[in-house]
């Protein structure tokens, strides 16, 4: 397969006495969609928090695009091209959909505070660029009709998609999706599967997705990691895992 | 500085520190459950001092403990009123923290203004409780009032810590302090606990009010002027930590007294500001070492 | 957003118009919280010189200094009523416009601008607090409004180079003279050798008293052995008190308003200090009712002898008590207000046109032996402060009644 | 307009300028500061001590005064803005007390409690003030509708999410804090020019709290609301100076009244009077014609 864009080497994290993640290692390749599944409390979201450097690992190394991110802050990791969504939707309630998406681009905006306050030509030019990029992204994802809505007034499914749009507008290399199907109706899940495929193609993304919904995971992912009590208990293609007794015991047995 | 003077200053510092401790604890208590700095606490203290004074006057000097009791009941009532009018709806709507801040600031100003407009023109002093005000032990002068305040403050703080650590109520308060939503799921009625916490803080405010009024006479900015010291103590102690606040308050009292003695009073606010800055820089988790993390 | 500003400006305009109307509507009726002392109905001539003289009066009617301010305003009103009932100033009535300055510099300036620009006052009576008067000390010259008051801080009448603020006049001994008086009393009558001071560096009144006190003691053979300070935000002075007690001077001068002076007194005594305590005129009644514990060896300044029958101020205070039955103790500020109007009225009487600010200003400089409740006042044209006025030293007896013990004459130039 | 009305207008404009600064800080970034009056103090004393003792002309002195405020804001911001917001709010309270007490410490130069005078008279101050007010409001309005405004609103709602878009929350907060403080310094200088007298007690925490009250009254999410309420609420008490209601002077009770009003707003309309609405240009243009007629001299400005 192609290049490795994200690699972890035995990262661990414990909170108090609880070992949330133990010796987690994986490799994410370019244009790959990898899935992480596991019961509640298996440490899945903690892995995302570690990857996006919201929390720092107790041990182990994370390589993003071949670079060790040990000394990088959360913002710097994001700037390097790692973007994510959150388990509970975290859109900015004070901003409308368009502005929410623009925030994804704003940090790279090329004008300073002075330009902003005194409306210099540079500000107009950059704002136009940001606007166009955001609109392009919304159009591509069929969200342009919602651009003026306040995010909290929209249906849940749309909010999810806006959140994803915001995460990818800055053209990151890697996207981490934390339970994107949570709270969605079954038919919405299929739309979401198509949507994720679409963005993967259009934005040339490598994606890791955490999900409970087996249908989504089985449909999307080329490889799946199964987590339980912080440990990776199995790893393989959807087909391989479907029959793995360990997975069934730890996870599938619990569901439904 | 002679050894005797040193001890004298130490005694003074500890007794002023005890007063700060009462304020800091009332402040820290509310902070621990609601996670915001209750600026209105200073106003509550002033108002209680006035209520205690007028009660004392109206009933022609009843026994002292009755005044203290009346004033602390008044403190509870004021705290509950502030909670009801200022924070209740905000809490129910789950509004941003900033509204709590503003609400408490508004109450702080309002109480101070009401007291200033209606009673600000005159000065009020509690009648003395001791015929002679001082006591000499080994060449060191002890103010009887200071010693009484110190004793009351320490016993109140001990009782409070016992309540928090050993009773079911205390357990519930601690649970709500850690996470009010989770506590609700576990069957703790967190709104009742929050109101109770306000009531306890108000009770402390009432007693503090009378004691400060007795010591410094009664005026509108009595509470607010002492409040900042309580704030600083609770920041140094670690926001929301009771034990830390008490230790920090007493240290603050001692530092203040010695700084005043050595450098003069003008420098003290700057010294305190500097101490706070340094503390936040070196040990942001405070003396208690517990930092209330913002939720990820 | 510019357009928002345009809107705002429109709002300003509307407000301006409203305010203008308000101002006009008020001239005849109520002004401030006090009734202007209306001229009794008389034949109104149309000529200019029968029009009333507009006298502004800015006092602390509310706020933390209102205890003094209200009494001061009463004195002003009383004097204006008296003058009007005696036929006014050369036949012209005085119309009084009182504004509140709330012991706040910005409010004081607002009040000043309102009186000058909206009412068009011809002269101004100022408050006894120097900070308020200091806001307009440079403006009265531009507006040609003579101002008489009891802003006792020297910086309100002369600048640091000794140049006078031309339109500002003080009607009582300034801080320097007052502090010299108590220092002189302590050195000569109490025979002290060493002294200490404890004062509020954040209070203009306190600073302006403490410095000259120290100068006088040091210059006249005494020695200042300890100087301690505090500020508004402090309530506990035990460290300062301990330091003073350790130095143990013969006398300690407390310089601040009554509430703080009370704490100083109490904490000094608690710290074991047994010597003499001296104070400014803020230690007058009701000081003893505030203090927790016994009062002894306390001497303080008084501007007038308010307790001996037969003096002018005694009579004035009787009138004050009659009109203010709630007052439990005599307030020297009632005399102050009265005196300031008397000094102003005297200059106006001598003027051809009492509404001409420049002329009245020139005549105020020649003020000589104007009878007031505090005795005759003569103003030194070089300083715009009175010369030759005595200060009284008082103490409390065992029942906490005020007892005048001495009368001190000392000039503010005593050290020059 | 006579001098009195001009003076009040200047005062209200100063209030607008400070509240606009506080809007950037609190309305946009969600940082609660109770120490902005301290920056007014720094600006005013810094500038006029330079003009008085160093003989520096007003404009360079004013720039240096603002620079002093910027440096203080930079130091305080750097140290406190990394911590959670409560610490920042408490630090600003302490700062608000420390700066005025510095004025007393340096009494020799500041004249301490006696008040600082000898502030030069500036002709046409009203036009300068109006110009600066327009400029400041204009700038902050532009800020709101720029990438900075969006990032600020984002970090106000959710710092963690904002960080995940590469926004350096800490740096942005420091920048906005410095900006707001610089604006407060400018307001302080204008305030001093208007009063031509300053003392340490004028810049107390009540002044800082007043700014917050004005802001939330108009609506902490609406610049229009903040500007209008800052102007009107500052002006109103002076218009009501002699109005009596139930036998009590309105002016005496104004702060209590404002507190009650704000409490009512907080309880029943927490977004403030204006909510999140801004004056819309289309809405304005309909009115502009009328306004131009009403105040011809402002036509050029608008």
């Amino acid at each position: 397969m192609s290049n490795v864009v994200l690699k972890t080497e035995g990262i661990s994290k414990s909170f108090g006495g609880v070992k949330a993640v133990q010796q987690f290692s994986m490799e994410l390749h370019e244009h790959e969609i990898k899935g992480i599944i596991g019961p509640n409390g298996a440490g899945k979201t903690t892995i995302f928090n570690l990857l996006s450097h919201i929390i720092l690992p107790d041990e182990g190394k994370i390589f993003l695009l071949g670079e060790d991110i040990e000394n990088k802050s959360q913002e710097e990791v994001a700037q390097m091209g790692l973007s994510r969504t959150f388990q509970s939707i975290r859109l900015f309630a004070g901003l409308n959909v368009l502005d929410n998406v623009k925030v994804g681009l704003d940090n790279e905006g090329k004008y300073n505070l002075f330009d902003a306050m005194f409306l210099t030509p540079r500000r107009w030019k950059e704002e136009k660029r940001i606007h166009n990029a955001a609109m392009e992204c919304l159009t591509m994802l069929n969200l342009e009709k919602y651009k003026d809505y306040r995010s909290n007034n929209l249906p849940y499914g749309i909010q999810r998609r806006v959140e994803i749009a915001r995460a990818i507008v800055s053209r990151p290399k890697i996207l981490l999706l934390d339970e994107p199907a949570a709270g969605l109706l079954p038919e919405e899940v299929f739309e979401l599967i198509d949507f994720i495929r679409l963005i993967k193609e259009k934005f040339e993304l490598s994606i890791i997705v955490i999900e409970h919904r087996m249908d989504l995971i089985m449909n999307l992912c080329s490889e799946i990691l199964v987590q339980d009590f912080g440990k990776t208990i199995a790893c393989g293609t959807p087909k391989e895992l479907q029959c793995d007794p360990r997975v069934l015991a730890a996870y599938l047995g619990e569901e439904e | 500085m002679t050894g005797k003077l040193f001890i004298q200053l130490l005694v003074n510092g500890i007794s002023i520190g005890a007063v700060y401790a009462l304020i800091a604890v009332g402040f820290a208590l509310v902070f621990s459950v609601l996670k915001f700095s209750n600026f209105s606490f200073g106003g509550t203290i002033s108002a209680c001092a006035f209520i205690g004074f007028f009660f004392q006057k109206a009933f022609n000097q009843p026994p002292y403990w009755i005044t203290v009791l009346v004033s602390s009941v008044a403190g509870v009532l004021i705290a509950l009123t502030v909670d009801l009018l200022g924070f209740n709806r905000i809490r129910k709507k789950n509004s941003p923290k900033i509204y709590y801040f503003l609400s408490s600031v508004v109450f702080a100003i309002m109480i101070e203004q009401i007291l200033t407009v209606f009673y600000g023109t005159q000065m009020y002093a509690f009648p003395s409780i001791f015929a002679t005000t001082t006591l000499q032990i080994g060449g060191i002068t002890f103010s009887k009032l200071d010693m009484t305040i110190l004793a009351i403050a320490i016993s109140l703080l001990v009782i409070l810590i016992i309540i928090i650590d050993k009773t079911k109520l205390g357990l519930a308060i601690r649970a709500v302090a850690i996470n009010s939503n989770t506590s609700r799921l576990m069957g703790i009625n967190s709104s009742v606990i929050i109101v109770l916490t306000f009531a306890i803080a108000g009770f402390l405010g009432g007693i503090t009010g009378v004691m400060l009024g007795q010591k410094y006479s009664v005026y509108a900015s009595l509470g607010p002027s002492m409040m900042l010291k309580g704030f600083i103590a609770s920041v140094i102690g670690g926001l929301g930590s009771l034990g830390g606040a008490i230790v920090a308050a007493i240290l603050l009292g001692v530092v203040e007294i010695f700084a005043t003695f050595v450098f003069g009073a003008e420098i003290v606010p700057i010294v305190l500001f500097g101490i706070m800055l340094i503390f936040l820089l070196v040990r942001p988790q405070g003396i208690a070492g517990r930092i209330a993390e913002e939720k990820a | 957003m510019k357009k928002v500003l345009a809107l705002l400006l429109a709002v300003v305009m509307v407000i301006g118009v409203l305010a203008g109307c308000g101002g006009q509507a008020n001239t005849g009726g109520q002004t401030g919280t006090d009734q202007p002392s209306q001229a009794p109905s008389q034949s109104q001539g149309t000529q200019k010189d029968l029009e009333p003289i507009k006298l502004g009066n800015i006092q602390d009617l509310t706020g933390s200094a209102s205890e003094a301010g209200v009494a001061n305003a009463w004195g002003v009103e009383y004097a204006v009523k008296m003058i009007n009932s005696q036929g006014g100033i050369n036949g012209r009535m005085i119309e009084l416009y009182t504004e509140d300055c709330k012991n706040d510099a910005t409010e004081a300036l607002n009040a000043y601008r309102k009186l000058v620009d909206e009412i068009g006052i011809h002269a101004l009576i100022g408050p006894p607090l120097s900070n308020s008067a200091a806001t307009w000390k440079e403006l009265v010259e531009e507006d040609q409004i003579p101002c008489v008051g009891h802003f006792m801080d020297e910086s309100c009448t002369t600048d640091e180079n000794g140049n006078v603020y031309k339109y500002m006049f003080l009607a009582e001994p300034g801080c320097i003279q007052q502090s010299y008086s108590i220092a002189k009393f302590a050195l000569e009558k109490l025979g002290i050798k060493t002294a200490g001071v404890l004062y509020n560096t954040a209070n203009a009144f306190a600073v302006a008293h403490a410095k000259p006190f120290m100068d006088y003691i040091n210059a006249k053979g005494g020695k200042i052995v300890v100087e301690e300070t505090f500020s508004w935000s402090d309530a506990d002075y035990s460290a300062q008190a301990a330091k003073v007690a350790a130095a143990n001077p013969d006398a300690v001068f407390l310089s601040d308003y009554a509430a703080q002076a009370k704490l100083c007194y109490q904490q000094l005594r608690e710290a074991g200090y047994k010597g003499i305590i001296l104070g400014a005129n803020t230690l007058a009644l009701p000081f003893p009712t505030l203090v927790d514990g016994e009062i002894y060896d306390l001497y303080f300044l008084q501007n007038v002898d308010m307790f001996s029958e037969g003096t002018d101020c005694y009579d004035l205070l009787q009138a004050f008590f009659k009109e203010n039955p709630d007052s439990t103790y005599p307030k020297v500020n009632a005399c102050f207000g009265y005196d300031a109007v008397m000094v102003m009225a005297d200059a106006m009487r001598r003027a051809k046109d009492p509404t001409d600010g420049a002329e009245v200003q020139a005549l105020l400089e020649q003020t000589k032996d104007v009878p007031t409740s505090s005795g005759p006042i003569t103003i030194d044209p070089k300083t715009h402060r009175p010369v030759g006025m005595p200060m009284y030293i008082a103490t409390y007896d065992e029942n906490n009644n005020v007892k005048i013990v001495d009368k001190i004459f000392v000039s503010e130039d005593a050290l020059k | 307009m006579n001098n009195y009305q001009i003076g009040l207008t200047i005062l209200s404009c100063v209030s607008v300028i400070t509240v606009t600064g506080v809007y950037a800080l609190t309305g946009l970034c969600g940082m609660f500061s109770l120490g902005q009056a301290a920056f007014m103090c720094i600006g005013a004393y810094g500038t006029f001590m330079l003009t008085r003792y160093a003989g520096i002309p007003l404009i360079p002195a004013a720039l240096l005064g603002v620079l002093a405020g910027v440096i203080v804001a930079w130091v305080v911001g750097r140290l406190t803005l990394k911590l959670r917001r409560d610490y920042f709010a408490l630090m600003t309270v302490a700062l608000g007390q420390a700066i005025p007490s510095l004025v007393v410490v340096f009494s020799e130069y500041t004249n301490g409690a006696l008040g600082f005078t000898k502030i030069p008279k500036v002709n046409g101050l009203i036009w300068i003030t109006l110009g600066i007010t327009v400029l400041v409001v204009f700038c902050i309005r532009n800020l709101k509708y720029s990438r900075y405004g969006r990032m600020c609103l984002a970090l106000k709602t959710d710092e963690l999410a904002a960080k995940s878009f590469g926004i350096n929350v800490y740096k942005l907060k420091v920048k906005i804090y410095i900006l707001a403080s610089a604006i407060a310094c400018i307001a302080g200088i204008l305030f001093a020019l208007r009063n031509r007298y300053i003392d340490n007690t004028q810049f107390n925490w009540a002044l800082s709290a007043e700014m917050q009250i004005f802001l939330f009254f108009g609506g902490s999410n609406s610049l229009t609301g903040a500007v209008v309420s800052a102007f009107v609420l500052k002006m109103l008490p002076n218009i009501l100076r002699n109005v009596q209601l139930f036998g009590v002077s309105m002016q005496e009770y104004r702060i209590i009244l404002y507190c009650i009003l704000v409490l009512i707003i907080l309880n029943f309309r927490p977004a403030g009077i204006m909510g999140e609405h801004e004056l819309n240009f289309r809405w304005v243009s309909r009115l502009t014609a009328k306004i131009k007629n009403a105040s011809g001299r402002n036509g050029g400005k608008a």
Side-chain angles (χ1 to χ4, degrees), chain D residues 254-269:
Chain D
R254 62 154 202 227
I255 296 177
I256 301 175
L257 280 177
Y258 285 0
C259 287
I260 294 171
L261 279 179
V262 169
L263 277 181
I264 293 172
I265 284 180
L266 271 180
N267 273 314
F268 297 103
R269 196 181 156 79

Side-chain angles (χ1 to χ4, degrees), chain B residues 5 9 12 16 120-125 127-128 133-134 141 143 214-217 219 225-226 229 257 260-262 265-266, chain C residues 63-64 66-67 201 228-230 233-236 238-240 242-243 246 258-259 262-263 266-267 270-271 289-290 292-293:
Chain B
L5 191 59
L9 289 175
N12 289 347
I16 181 101
T121 57
Q122 280 176 48
M123 284 163 289
Y124 306 90
S128 32
T133 54
T134 55
T141 318
S143 155
Q214 183 80 53
K215 191 164 156 66
Y216 302 124
S217 79
Y219 53 96
S225 68
M226 305 292 275
K229 309 282 170 58
I257 292 285
T260 309
F261 192 90
V262 179
E266 306 101 322
Chain C
S64 50
S66 59
E67 182 83 343
T201 44
E228 283 301 306
T229 62
F230 53 92
S233 52
D234 304 325
D236 196 280
S238 51
Q240 293 94 323
K243 211 165 172 180
K262 169 238 160 165
L263 287 175
Q266 224 163 278
Q267 297 191 6
E270 277 173 12
T289 62
L290 300 172
D292 199 3

Side-chain angles (χ1 to χ4, degrees), chain C residues 168-233:
Chain C
M168 299 290 282
F169 295 89
L170 179 66
E172 68 168 317
C175 289
I176 295 179
Q177 191 193 329
Q178 298 210 5
S179 314
Y180 284 180
S181 302
I182 189 108
K184 184 178 181 191
F185 171 78
L187 285 172
E188 291 173 9
K189 300 290 164 66
L190 301 174
I192 64 155
K193 295 277 176 288
T194 56
V197 282
L198 182 53
Y199 68 102
N200 181 351
T201 44
N203 184 355
F205 173 90
V207 179
H209 272 80
K211 301 277 184 223
F213 178 86
M214 290 188 275
D215 293 344
Y216 194 92
I217 296 283
N218 282 331
K220 297 283 181 178
K223 190 166 184 293
I224 296 292
V225 290
V226 56
E227 176 188 349
E228 283 301 306
T229 62
F230 53 92
S231 129
W232 292 123
S233 52

Side-chain angles (χ1 to χ4, degrees), chain A residues 18-36:
Chain A
V18 183
K19 290 174 179 161
V21 177
Q22 293 177 51
Q23 295 296 324
F24 180 77
S25 299
M26 59 132 232
E27 282 183 0
L28 178 68
H29 298 273
E30 215 166 359
H31 304 304
E32 186 193 359
I33 301 184
K34 201 184 271 297
I36 300 178

Side-chain angles (χ1 to χ4, degrees), chain A residues 23 26 32 42 82 106 133 139 148 156 187 220 239 243 256:
Chain A
Q23 295 296 324
M26 59 132 232
E32 186 193 359
L82 183 136
D106 275 336
T139 315
D148 292 327
Y156 204 70
E187 58 268 29
L220 273 177
K239 278 227 174 78
C243 332
E256 251 84 12

Side-chain angles (χ1 to χ4, degrees), chain C residues 294-314:
Chain C
E294 191 194 353
I295 291 189
Y296 58 92
D297 286 341
L298 172 68
Y299 297 91
F300 60 96
L301 284 161
Q302 288 273 267
N303 286 73
V304 286
D305 179 1
M306 298 186 286
F307 303 91
S308 312
E309 284 182 47
T311 59
D312 288 332
C313 69
Y314 187 83

